[in-house]
Amino acid sequence: MIPPLGSDESPNLQIERLERRLAREREARKAAETIAESSLRDLYREQQRLALVETIATAANLSDHPDEAFALALRAICDFTGWRVGQAYMFADAAPGGPLVFSGVWHDADPELRREFRQISDRLSFDRGEGLPGRVWASGKACWIQDVAADPNFPRAEPAKRAGLHAAFAFPALIGEEVGAVLEFFLERPAPPDEVLLKTLDQIGAQLGRVVERHRNRGRTRAHTLALEEKTAAAEAASRAKSAFLAVTSHEIRTPLNAVLGLSQALQREPLTATQHELNDGVLASGEMLLRLLNAVLDMSKIEADKAVAEMGDFDLRAKLDSILSIWTPRAEEASVLLTLDADLPQARIRTDQGRIEQTLVNLVSNALKFTPAGGEVRIGAALFGDRLRLTVTDGGPGVAPEDRQRIFQPFEQTDAGRDAGGAGLGLAICAGNIALLGGQIGCEPADGVGERFWFDVPVSVAAPIATIAIASPVNATSNDRALRVLAAEDNAGNRRVLEVLLAPAGVELTFAENGEAAVAAALADSFDLILMDVNMPVMDGVEALRLIRVAEGEASHTPIHMLTANAFADDVARYMAGGADGVLTKPIQLPQLFAVLETCLSPVAQAA
């Protein structure tokens, strides 16, 4: 306080004390202003740091590729720090195993001055712990170099000095604790570490790591998708190759089988002895079974692709079982195994897919004979329960372990006993596919005493006898009638002979053409009531011959043309019908179907006569 007037203190002392007080107040005001200015500067810098982190975080969240986020981050950090140069490194092929390579993303206030430094950085790669990027990779933390010219672990020291670069820092883009990329910055003078800046970089590195992680995941997804597409393409190519192989195999087997069955059918009408008829019936039954098995095996590809369709038809089940028994009894006798049939069936025909029932039963019988030791017995059982048919095959083998009873019906799954007995492990899988297609069930269980009982049951219906279609006697060429004129295009001599013997009783006037070109010439030179057209022929195939005949006919006439072929897959049939065929007959020739076609041609012939 200033002393009151009248005080003993002299005026000079009073003035001196006042001046000291004023000086203290001035110092206090200056300190307060300095503190306020520093606080404002710190607040401003903190706001700038927050804005920097927010800007880079937004870019990282919105960027589809790390390059976009890195370019923005380099520019923003250089603007914030005043540092001149920034560049980004990523792992080669985006794989975290390294090495780190220049990503091509660069920011420079004077790019021409530092062209050499950039080119050298572009060519180098850094292993873990090598150079500034490698040190950041090894530590997983930001790293600061006060002057790269004096740092022993900085391979680019000389070009950095020529470019006027000294201080450097780098920080990682982190995916969790894993380094996903490294961002590197340079200043044109030496500088001590800035701890506050390094803390800020930690936050930025976590944000940039997100875009690197998304980029990696997209890359993995693309690689997985590409691999899946390649596998799918390979599977489709394999499927096409399998289909082509099956088509060729089918054709090559059906061609000789057509002769076997056709000639056997012709022999049935000959005056044979009882023994000869029995032998011929065995050949015919075995050939027909082979045909059905061929059809079923070819159809397995459709089962695998869920494209199989059941071929429903009426047949005598008891006769079928007797046929299977007679065919497999010699095999059983060779193995010293007794093969028996116990069938409790009414005298009636049933409706279901004969081929799949037969193939499934034959597979089970074959397996049973394979596993039953000499002196044992294999029993076939059959019974109808309302609209369900149940068939069983009981063997005298070692049986199936409880844990294996489900898996043996899967493709390529076998028990140890099954592997020892041989086979590919597909038989039971084919059986399961057949029965599933028919809406039934299949399984196995312990037999009474010894062995295993395999069973399946399927829905069936009792069918009325089928009215057979046949031409009982030849069509006599008289004044009122004339013989049916048929052109058969067939290149195989054996199949031509089959057509001759099958059609002889019908009194058909048969003309042959040995290739498609000859068939076209014959069809245009003469008139026919029916054309039977093979498909695979030399010179010109049947489909092209069909097309040329239809073009030549125009709308004036229409000769019935039925393809007679071993190539009878669904897509083949669709192609024939689209080309103008009236129908398709398959090889081996089925007499009822062939005679049915002939019968459709009789009425036009009578009208013409």
Side-chain angles (χ1 to χ4, degrees), residues 414-482:
Q414 292 177 290
T415 63
D416 292 338
R419 277 187 290 272
D420 292 341
L426 285 174
L428 290 178
I430 292 174
C431 294
N434 286 340
I435 301 308
L437 182 65
L438 299 179
Q441 295 178 313
I442 188 170
C444 60
E445 60 194 14
D448 299 331
V450 65
E452 192 79 9
R453 180 184 297 110
F454 284 80
W455 58 267
F456 64 91
D457 68 75
V458 292
V460 298
S461 58
V462 177
I466 299 176
T468 58
I469 300 173
I471 301 175
S473 59
V475 179
N476 296 319
T478 64
S479 59
N480 294 325
D481 297 323
R482 66 173 176 82

Side-chain angles (χ1 to χ4, degrees), residues 70-71 74 86-90 101-106 181-184:
F70 289 164
L74 294 175
Q87 55 193 15
Y89 290 86
M90 292 189 68
V101 296
F102 179 49
S103 69
V105 182
W106 173 280
V182 173
L183 277 69
E184 182 183 61

Side-chain angles (χ1 to χ4, degrees), residues 75-97:
R75 183 173 63 253
I77 292 173
C78 286
D79 291 344
F80 175 77
T81 60
W83 288 49
R84 308 289 288 175
V85 178
Q87 55 193 15
Y89 290 86
M90 292 189 68
F91 289 101
D93 299 324

Side-chain angles (χ1 to χ4, degrees), residues 392-411:
T392 62
V393 176
T394 306
D395 62 46
V400 179
E403 63 271 17
D404 293 332
R405 288 199 172 102
Q406 291 297 323
R407 72 178 185 88
I408 58 175
F409 290 97
Q410 301 300 318

Side-chain angles (χ1 to χ4, degrees), residues 517-553:
E517 186 176 81
V520 174
L524 298 183
D526 206 343
S527 60
F528 294 92
D529 303 304
L530 171 66
I531 298 176
L532 298 175
M533 183 74 72
D534 189 18
V535 173
N536 290 338
M537 293 184 291
V539 184
M540 180 186 294
D541 65 39
V543 178
E544 178 64 13
L546 168 67
R547 186 187 69 81
L548 292 178
I549 292 172
R550 290 304 186 216
V551 169
E553 285 181 335

Side-chain angles (χ1 to χ4, degrees), residues 177-193:
E177 296 182 355
E178 177 191 331
V179 175
V182 173
L183 277 69
E184 182 183 61
F185 297 85
F186 295 93
L187 185 63
E188 293 171 319
R189 56 178 173 79

